[in-house]
Amino acid sequence: MGRVLVTGMGIISAIGENLSQNHESLRAGRTGIGDATYFESQYASKLPFGECRISNDKLKALLGLEDSLGYTRTCLLASKAFEEAIQDAGLTKEQLSDADTAFISASTVGGMCLTDQLYDDANMKSSGSEYLDAYGCSAHTLRLVDRYQISGFTDTINTACSSSANAIMLGARLIKTGRAKRVIVGGVDSLAKYTVNGFNALKILSESACKPFDENRDGLNLGEGAAYLVLESEECAAGKKVYAEMLGYGNANDAYHPSAMSDEAIGAIRCMKEAITMAGIGSEEIDYVNAHGTGTNNNDDVELFGLHELFGEIPPFNSTKSFTGHTLGAAGAVEAIYSILSILHSELYPSLNISNPVKTFDTAPLMEFEANRPIRYALSNSFGFGGNCTSLVFGRVN
């Protein structure tokens, strides 16, 4: 099986409209969590969110979609990050429409950012909106397939918070098995009343900026964003700029509880082991872990337990959700890009808002920016509701 190389990246999040802005915010320790401007909800004035600081109208203008109908905020965020990724990789129209180019996207919200319109349309309270075909989880994927005339294998994945990590994993598998030469992989989610109300019902939303791996953590902040990576075979990537190598992946499901992980971290440990084994390295060679780190009591305790069981002495780790909030289906791709930035620039970014770091296993997350820190291998974790756990290993390209 051949190598899988990352040749392009695109991202929009609460800390930046593109890759360079995201990198600058990470280096500066600048969070994007705060008051929501565009999200319409009774909770917008009560809870902090990781909202992208750009309106739908501006997104349409940037993308040349002013006259296009049916583009939800989910579709627009996906289009912004997708376009940056393919331009970064230098993909041509011909390559995008080639049967050997696949596209795997992910989302949990999809068109549910328009729940009110859906209700009105379904109950004959409107004459029918422009968004009638945009409510599905795959609507953003179909918009991109149509716009860029993608003819190869396409799919949309929803495994909750591990969705885009699984999209990356599937894309890598397509290349390794020769079913595709290049794959655009990633995911998107926008803020939506449906998900905010649901997470609020679970009593896991914090009323302040989240503080993953702090002794006094009290929940997560929801965020929005989109991120895509271009994966290419070694043959296709020849002569191109390469950010990192996709070395290993693992997926497991402990099926313990609809919204909690098992205390024994069964799924988390198994997927981390699988990813590291596939990468062909030992656990002691992992230089950095981008933890799932939601800021909830259950997640952070279980993830730390799993890391300790696997590593003994836990490598440097952080939770970049303290910058972006939890971007749900986009989180795996957002954090994969942040992990690659750490490898590429030999940098480690802090977990924000921590005043009393966890004392479990005599460890603590990164709390300060570290430059000139060589990182050969990075592990990125994404753990979803229902126990679907995915880990990815990226490596430096010599």
Side-chain angles (χ1 to χ4, degrees):
M1 295 191 293
R3 300 170 71 192
V4 178
L5 303 171
V6 180
T7 61
M9 299 194 293
I11 183 171
I12 180 170
S13 76
I15 61 171
E17 295 178 15
N18 52 46
L19 185 63
S20 63
Q21 288 181 13
N22 273 263
H23 184 212
E24 289 169 8
S25 294
L26 290 169
R27 287 177 57 90
R30 185 167 54 242
T31 185
I33 296 172
D35 296 333
T37 301
Y38 307 109
F39 176 50
E40 296 179 1
S41 164
Q42 63 175 322
Y43 295 111
S45 61
K46 300 176 183 178
L47 297 171
F49 295 96
E51 182 184 58
C52 295
R53 305 302 179 185
I54 184 171
S55 68
N56 288 356
D57 287 342
K58 186 177 179 183
L59 280 168
K60 283 187 174 183
L62 284 173
L63 296 163
L65 294 169
E66 296 95 328
D67 299 324
S68 299
L69 298 177
Y71 275 78
T72 65
R73 187 165 178 83
T74 302
C75 295
L76 292 169
L77 293 173
S79 298
K80 177 66 173 67
F82 181 95
E83 188 160 298
E84 183 184 13
I86 61 172
Q87 288 181 358
D88 189 35
L91 299 187
T92 65
K93 290 182 180 179
E94 291 73 20
Q95 288 173 324
L96 286 169
S97 60
D98 193 307
D100 287 325
T101 299
F103 176 38
I104 316 296
S105 193
S107 185
T108 64
V109 172
M112 289 192 299
C113 54
L114 296 174
T115 303
D116 290 348
Q117 290 93 325
L118 173 61
Y119 180 85
D120 288 344
D121 287 344
N123 289 277
M124 307 297 287
K125 292 187 176 183
S126 75
S127 58
S129 73
E130 65 177 275
Y131 302 106
L132 279 171
D133 64 345
Y135 297 118
C137 189
S138 63
H140 74 280
T141 308
L142 297 175
R143 291 279 186 275
L144 289 165
V145 166
D146 181 64
R147 186 178 187 193
Y148 293 96
Q149 297 299 295
I150 298 171
S151 63
F153 180 89
T154 62
D155 198 6
T156 306
I157 292 176
N158 182 349
T159 55
C161 310
S162 60
S163 298
S164 55
N166 283 325
I168 294 170
M169 180 176 74
L170 177 54
R173 291 179 64 187
L174 291 176
I175 292 174
K176 282 183 173 292
T177 56
R179 296 181 64 189
K181 292 181 178 178
R182 68 183 64 83
V183 190
I184 302 110
V185 292
V188 58
D189 263 332
S190 60
L191 289 169
K193 291 181 181 179
Y194 188 94
T195 46
V196 171
N197 292 348
F199 275 82
N200 188 59
L202 291 172
K203 306 298 182 185
I204 56 175
L205 293 180
S206 176
E207 295 182 359
S208 58
C210 66
K211 39 187 179 289
F213 303 111
D214 188 282
E215 286 286 352
N216 300 314
R217 64 190 183 277
D218 59 357
L220 59 85
N221 308 131
L222 286 173
E224 64 179 1
Y228 289 97
L229 301 86
V230 177
L231 306 180
E232 297 195 71
S233 66
E234 192 170 12
E235 176 188 2
C236 289
K240 299 182 68 170
K241 167 196 66 193
V242 175
Y243 286 111
E245 183 173 358
M246 171 84 241
L247 290 169
Y249 44 78
N251 174 263
N253 195 320
D254 60 20
Y256 171 75
H257 186 273
S259 62
M261 298 168 63
S262 66
D263 291 340
E264 296 81 14
I266 296 169
I269 293 171
R270 179 170 177 176
C271 73
M272 288 189 287
K273 280 184 176 179
E274 287 183 355
I276 293 170
T277 299
M278 174 175 281
I281 60 175
S283 58
E284 73 282 356
E285 294 182 81
I286 295 292
D287 300 305
Y288 159 65
V289 177
N290 187 300
H292 187 60
T294 61
T296 62
N297 285 319
N298 172 260
N299 176 93
D300 293 8
D301 278 346
V302 172
E303 188 166 13
L304 278 178
F305 176 81
L307 289 168
H308 181 262
E309 287 291 298
L310 180 59
F311 292 103
E313 183 177 344
I314 301 175
F317 70 98
N318 65 4
S319 171
T320 48
K321 288 182 176 68
S322 57
F323 286 84
T324 63
H326 193 345
T327 56
L328 303 181
V334 168
E335 291 155 22
I337 287 178
Y338 292 167
S339 299
I340 291 170
L341 288 175
S342 283
I343 292 172
L344 187 66
H345 298 286
S346 299
E347 297 171 343
L348 293 176
Y349 312 114
S351 286
L352 305 179
N353 311 318
I354 294 177
S355 57
N356 187 17
V358 289
K359 299 179 177 61
T360 316
F361 308 119
D362 192 30
T363 189
L366 295 158
M367 295 170 60
E368 295 182 356
F369 171 70
E370 293 186 26
N372 302 314
R373 180 70 176 263
I375 300 166
R376 176 66 173 144
Y377 303 108
L379 174 72
S380 183
N381 287 335
S382 296
F383 304 148
F385 277 3
N388 190 291
C389 300
T390 303
S391 293
L392 308 173
V393 173
F394 295 95
R396 178 182 293 276
V397 177
N398 293 326

